[in-house]
Amino acid sequence: MLPEGARADEAVPRLREIGMRKNLLVGSAVSYRELQQPAFTNLLEEQASIVVPENEMKWQIIHPEPDRYDFTRGDALVTFAQEHGQKVRGHNLCWHNQLPRWFGEMATPQNAADLLRQHIAKVAGHYAGRIHSWDVVNEAVRVEDGRPDGLRNSQWLQLLGPDYIGIAYRAAAQADPKALLTYNDYDIEQDGAKFDAKRAAVLHLLQRMREQQIPIQALGLQSHLHAAPELPDWTALHRFMEAVEKLGLDIFVTELDINDSKLTGDPGERDQMVAEWYGSYLRNVLQHRSVKAVLTWGLTDHDSWLNSPNQRHTDRPLRPLPFDADLKPKPAFYAMVKAISEAPARA
Ligand code: XIL
């Protein structure tokens, strides 16, 4: 219930303002479809100081044919953000997923470096000066693929070997010297052997990039977390973040959501637990002043990728985000408010 006399929009705190007091950017991924819905865009405008297109800048959408780029959907978000004083993350320039079909048919070891350079020159060039940070290479590490360097055995690796990473970052630096160039990956945050191995391999990659003087300014912790009844103590994550800071990199929380598929209880109980995870995770990562931005992967449970048919592994809808399907704030939202309010200010 709202306090008497309160207007609905006054009762809900605004994360973008709370974050601003801490020099912290706060926001979420947005889809083109959501951008057409006024109720959604009102909420986005109130809550976010930074946004990222969920799919609209990926190769598949922005580069549908070898000689054709389509900036319509990406531009729509950048224009919205500029009109509302929000920063924009670019996502992404080089990834093994969501590549257009033509790429697989056309790319060879001989032409792949040029295809990558041209794509980045065109896309990062198109948005130059308007992007806070680019996820230049996304998810390049996959320990399970068994390589000593931990790199994923992706199409890019098969075409170009590990050099594709330097090629991508150098092209991005040239096309948009103002954007903070980011390496973005998942399964870095939690406890356990799988995560230890991922952290070690990602750190190794970042160290190699530094040695090779590849331009990079930040690490993106995707933060797709899986809630369990016990909260982690995040010790291994703290050590990892300190090592990343020693390399002189900023850290962004880029895709936060908390998967409740392993939790039991009614939706209210699960929401409480998910909120505890939000609070615990953010309280811990925000102790690090290197963390300059926090973005969730979507704002509302209704539009979460975890509820798309190819992702969901339970028979009930998941509740991973700060707002519910009716755009009402959930306990997770208030956990974000509290953690950010209590966080130390960034430089
Ligand atoms: C996801 C989108 O949310 C989905 O809509 C799409 O079908 C697949 O990609 N890591 C990333 C994001 O870096 O780009 C992914 O986004 C989620 C995992």
Side-chain angles (χ1 to χ4, degrees):
M1 285 289 283
L2 293 176
E4 209 169 320
R7 293 209 335 254
D9 59 346
E10 283 175 344
V12 180
R14 298 185 179 208
L15 285 172
R16 72 181 286 175
E17 286 165 15
I18 298 167
M20 207 179 304
R21 288 179 222 134
K22 309 288 176 162
N23 257 317
L24 177 75
L25 296 165
V26 188
S28 77
V30 182
S31 70
Y32 183 71
R33 198 173 42 76
E34 288 172 319
L35 213 51
Q36 316 310 312
Q37 302 162 7
F40 176 86
T41 56
N42 286 341
L43 182 66
L44 184 68
E45 178 192 336
E46 285 169 12
Q47 294 297 336
S49 52
I50 187 164
V51 292
V52 59
E54 182 173 2
N55 290 300
E56 291 71 10
M57 291 186 189
K58 293 173 181 174
W59 276 67
Q60 211 173 51
I61 294 184
I62 214 161
H63 196 170
E65 291 170 55
D67 295 320
R68 190 165 68 85
Y69 291 83
D70 183 352
F71 295 110
T72 323
R73 294 175 169 224
D75 286 359
L77 183 61
V78 172
T79 302
F80 177 90
Q82 281 182 330
E83 283 168 357
H84 298 96
Q86 297 164 321
K87 298 201 185 296
V88 182
R89 304 202 70 246
H91 178 79
N92 54 54
L93 295 170
C94 179
W95 192 28
H96 61 281
N97 273 337
Q98 292 180 279
L99 282 164
R101 179 188 296 268
W102 66 260
F103 182 81
E105 293 163 359
M106 194 168 149
T108 66
Q110 287 70 41
N111 68 15
D114 281 341
L115 288 174
L116 182 57
R117 283 196 196 97
Q118 280 160 16
H119 175 89
I120 292 177
K122 193 82 183 173
V123 175
H126 178 82
Y127 291 112
R130 294 183 287 169
I131 298 292
H132 165 269
S133 49
W134 262 113
D135 291 331
V136 179
V137 173
N138 197 34
E139 304 180 350
V141 169
R142 188 167 191 271
V143 177
E144 295 86 333
D145 286 352
R147 292 173 50 96
D149 61 8
L151 290 181
R152 178 187 296 269
N153 187 22
S154 69
Q155 215 169 345
W156 290 112
L157 189 98
Q158 288 169 22
L159 287 162
L160 292 167
D163 287 351
Y164 83 86
I165 295 173
I167 293 171
Y169 282 84
R170 292 199 168 94
Q174 204 177 2
D176 187 353
K178 291 219 174 98
L180 299 170
L181 305 187
T182 306
Y183 174 73
N184 194 46
D185 213 330
Y186 64 95
D187 275 0
I188 295 174
E189 302 84 8
Q190 294 191 236
D191 289 342
K194 174 176 94 170
F195 298 93
D196 288 338
K198 183 78 178 242
R199 279 187 283 266
V202 168
L203 192 58
H204 185 65
L205 168 63
L206 297 175
Q207 283 161 346
R208 277 197 321 269
M209 290 176 72
R210 276 293 193 232
E211 280 158 24
Q212 297 171 15
Q213 297 178 19
I214 294 171
I216 174 169
Q217 286 87 35
L219 171 70
L221 299 174
Q222 287 189 5
S223 313
H224 295 293
L225 307 183
H226 289 259
E230 295 265 312
L231 289 165
D233 66 13
W234 311 106
T235 307
L237 176 61
H238 282 297
R239 297 293 91 79
F240 171 81
M241 291 174 75
E242 285 158 13
V244 171
E245 288 155 2
K246 284 218 178 82
L247 294 174
L249 300 176
D250 277 343
I251 298 176
F252 307 135
V253 171
T254 52
E255 306 186 10
L256 177 59
D257 54 20
I258 300 189
N259 188 318
D260 61 323
S261 61
K262 299 244 168 62
L263 298 180
T264 53
D266 62 35
E269 288 166 325
R270 295 201 304 273
D271 282 357
Q272 280 308 327
M273 201 54 183
V274 165
E276 280 188 40
W277 274 73
Y278 265 92
S280 172
Y281 181 64
L282 289 177
R283 195 163 52 248
N284 277 274
V285 294
L286 291 175
Q287 284 169 22
H288 296 256
R289 289 183 173 80
S290 56
V291 175
K292 304 287 169 59
V294 170
L295 295 94
T296 53
W297 203 243
L299 260 189
T300 83
D301 290 339
H302 178 71
D303 293 322
S304 166
W305 72 304
L306 296 175
N307 279 323
S308 63
N310 57 342
Q311 283 292 331
R312 186 138 63 85
H313 302 296
T314 59
D315 49 8
R316 54 172 158 87
L318 298 180
R319 305 179 60 84
L321 287 169
F323 291 86
D324 69 14
D326 300 319
L327 310 187
K328 295 279 176 294
K330 296 165 54 198
F333 170 79
Y334 290 101
M336 292 183 77
V337 169
K338 183 164 192 291
I340 296 171
S341 304
E342 292 172 357
R346 271 100 264 271

